[in-house]
């Protein structure tokens, strides 16, 4: 039981340090300094956190983090700086909590604290990056305050009941490990879209006007696509690089997955998304018959939303802001396909059916390629 209590303190403080290192150190130091916590002999090394210099530095740094953490994008920059600081600080706090144990147990405790801090920090940084994409700052402030409150409650639990804290933190780690792949995909997608926007602001880019829509597929993508198309040979209308976004009742189409959205001339009421799962390409069919197609400009991306009102099904396809023209042209093409009931139409008629502005005599830029 003594070992479990010691690991509970080390793991708990380490995990909380991954969320907010300075608040964790500050609260623990104040509890020790003002005798709110009577340390057992085995926790004697934690008394260093109650030193006035440690408390002062922790208080100043927490004050800086308190304001930085509530400003969109500044908080993400702050988190990136602390990617190494928080796990390293968690190890120092954990080593103090472990005290004089066998060397093997000290190493295990330090590793657990570092892993817990890194996991909690990664989840926090990813979640904040996602919330930063919302146009209003209120959600960011609410999440930041909730994180601070969770750290306050967590420190109290660790210091008052370390055994319970051990099981609570362990359960939280298991949950985070289960959702980590989704969080990582979300972080990767948003980071890519943010970097694309910084490099090439919205409205700039390739694929303007009557330029041909992209049709290129790799050999692996071509093979996977052939299993999803009913007829052979088939002609590709377009194959646009994209990222899947928010989905509802979409028959397993994953979120935040990089891939290509492909349309063919033979199955005009069906599009195929080709992405990667683990180490192989996988394709998902998307039936667009009877659906509404909307082109939306968001903060980080240009979205094409396919919504089936009858089935309450929604699929969002995201493109970088620089590819706004491409997203608009794909949305117009999908609208024309749906309005024509899947029948092939000319470029001129497609623009008229979709209600596209501008000159209907200009080519739609749909390039065909025969796959044998």
């Amino acid at each position: 039981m003594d070992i479990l209590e010691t690991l509970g303190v080390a793991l708990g403080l380490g995990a909380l340090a991954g969320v907010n290192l300075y608040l964790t150190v500050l609260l623990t130091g104040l509890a020790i300094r003002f005798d709110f916590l009577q340390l057992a002999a085995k926790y004697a090394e934690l008394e260093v956190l109650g030193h006035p210099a440690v408390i002062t530095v922790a208080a100043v740094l927490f004050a800086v983090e308190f304001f930085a953490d509530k400003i969109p994008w500044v908080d993400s920059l702050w988190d990136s700086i602390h990617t190494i600081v928080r796990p390293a600080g968690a190890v120092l706090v954990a080593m103090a909590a472990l005290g004089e144990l066998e060397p093997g147990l000290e190493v295990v405790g330090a590793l657990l604290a570092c892993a817990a801090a890194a996991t909690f920090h990664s989840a926090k940084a990813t979640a904040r990056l996602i919330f930063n994409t919302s146009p209003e700052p209120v959600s960011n402030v609410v999440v930041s305050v909730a994180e601070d409150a969770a750290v306050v409650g967590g420190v109290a639990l660790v210091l008052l009941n370390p055994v319970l804290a051990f099981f609570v933190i362990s359960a939280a780690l298991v949950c985070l490990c289960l959702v980590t792949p989704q969080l990582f995909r979300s972080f990767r997608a948003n980071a890519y879209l943010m970097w694309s926007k910084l490099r090439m602001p919205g409205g700039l880019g390739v694929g303007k006007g009557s330029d041909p829509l992209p049709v290129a597929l790799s050999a692996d993508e071509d093979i996977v696509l052939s299993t999803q198309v009913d007829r052979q040979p088939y002609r590709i209308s377009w194959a646009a690089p994209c990222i899947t976004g928010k989905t509802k009742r979409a028959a397993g189409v994953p979120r935040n997955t990089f891939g290509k959205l492909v349309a063919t001339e033979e199955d005009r009421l069906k599009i195929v998304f080709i992405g990667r799962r683990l180490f192989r390409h996988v394709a998902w069919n998307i039936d667009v018959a009877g659906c509404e197609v909307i082109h939306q400009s968001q903060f980080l991306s240009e979205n094409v939303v396919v919504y089936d009102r009858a089935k309450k099904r929604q699929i969002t396809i995201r493109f970088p802001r620089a590819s706004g023209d491409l997203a608009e042209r794909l949305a117009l093409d999908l609208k024309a396909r749906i309005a024509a009931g899947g029948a092939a139409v000319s470029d001129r008629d497609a623009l008229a059916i979709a209600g596209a502005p501008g000159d209907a005599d200009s080519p739609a830029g749909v390039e065909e390629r025969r796959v044998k």
Side-chain angles (χ1 to χ4, degrees):
M1 184 63 71
D2 289 341
I3 294 179
L4 194 60
E5 289 182 356
T6 303
L7 289 177
V9 174
L11 182 64
L13 293 181
L16 295 172
V19 179
N20 194 320
L21 172 63
Y22 307 123
L23 181 58
T24 301
V25 173
L26 176 62
L27 293 176
T28 307
L30 290 175
I32 295 172
R33 181 68 179 174
F34 295 101
D35 294 328
F36 294 131
L37 175 67
Q38 297 296 328
L39 290 177
K42 57 186 176 182
Y43 300 132
E45 293 190 22
L46 271 178
E47 290 183 358
V48 68
L49 300 182
H51 192 280
V54 175
I55 294 176
T56 301
V57 172
V60 172
L61 292 174
F62 169 65
V64 175
E65 179 164 357
F66 180 83
F67 292 102
D69 203 45
K70 292 169 179 59
I71 303 175
W73 300 113
V74 174
D75 64 329
S76 292
L77 176 61
W78 184 267
D79 286 337
S80 65
I81 295 173
H82 285 74
T83 299
I84 297 177
V85 175
R86 285 170 181 161
V91 171
L92 295 177
V93 174
M95 293 298 291
L98 291 171
E100 297 295 334
L101 289 179
E102 296 180 9
L105 290 178
E106 288 186 6
V107 173
V108 170
L111 290 176
L112 288 176
C114 183
T119 302
F120 275 76
H121 167 76
S122 300
K124 168 189 167 72
T126 302
R128 298 305 290 275
L129 181 62
I130 296 172
F131 278 103
N132 282 336
T133 60
S134 61
E136 41 76 30
V138 177
S139 59
N140 193 285
V141 175
V142 171
V143 172
S144 178
V145 172
E147 290 171 355
D148 293 341
V151 171
V152 173
V155 170
L157 178 63
V158 168
L159 298 180
L160 297 177
N161 196 331
V163 175
L164 179 59
F166 175 82
F167 289 107
V168 171
I169 296 296
S170 298
L173 284 172
V174 171
C175 293
L176 287 178
C177 288
L178 293 176
V179 301
T180 292
Q182 298 179 18
L183 290 175
F184 175 76
R185 287 196 296 268
S186 177
F187 174 82
R188 180 168 174 250
N190 284 283
Y192 168 78
L193 293 172
M194 180 174 63
W195 177 245
S196 298
K197 182 176 180 178
L198 291 175
R199 291 180 55 199
M200 193 176 295
L204 300 178
V206 298
K208 288 286 187 180
S210 60
D211 291 346
L213 290 170
V215 296
L217 288 178
S218 68
D220 290 337
E221 292 169 342
D222 216 355
I223 293 172
V224 172
L225 177 64
S226 66
T227 65
Q228 304 295 317
V229 179
D230 296 333
R231 285 171 281 187
Q232 295 284 347
Y234 54 85
R235 297 170 297 169
I236 296 177
S237 298
W238 41 263
C242 61
I243 308 172
T244 54
K246 183 178 180 181
T247 61
K248 292 182 179 178
R249 300 182 180 180
V253 177
R255 298 186 182 185
N256 301 307
T257 300
F258 287 74
K260 288 182 180 177
L261 191 67
V262 183
T264 65
E265 287 300 311
E266 284 71 24
D267 295 304
R268 296 186 60 83
L269 291 179
K270 182 176 71 175
I271 54 179
V272 181
F273 175 75
I274 304 175
R276 290 186 66 90
R277 295 302 296 269
L278 297 178
F279 302 103
R280 62 191 182 93
H281 285 89
V282 183
W284 291 268
N285 287 321
I286 303 174
D287 187 2
V288 298
C291 294
E292 301 176 14
V293 179
I294 305 170
H295 172 223
Q296 298 175 334
S297 294
Q298 300 294 329
F299 179 69
L300 287 181
S301 62
E302 296 287 331
N303 297 346
V304 175
V305 181
V306 179
Y307 176 58
D308 189 333
R309 188 176 298 275
K311 299 180 180 179
K312 304 300 180 184
R313 184 191 65 187
Q314 175 180 316
I315 299 173
T316 303
I317 306 297
R318 308 174 75 188
F319 300 86
R321 285 297 304 271
S323 301
D325 184 75
L326 173 62
E328 182 179 7
R329 293 168 66 195
L330 296 187
L332 291 174
D333 183 78
L334 290 175
K335 289 179 181 179
R337 289 166 177 258
I338 296 169
V345 295
S346 65
D347 295 338
R348 177 177 184 144
D349 292 339
L351 291 172
I353 292 173
D359 185 8
D361 292 325
S362 62
V366 177
E367 182 176 327
E368 296 181 351
R369 181 171 69 92
R370 181 171 297 275
V371 181
K372 297 183 179 180

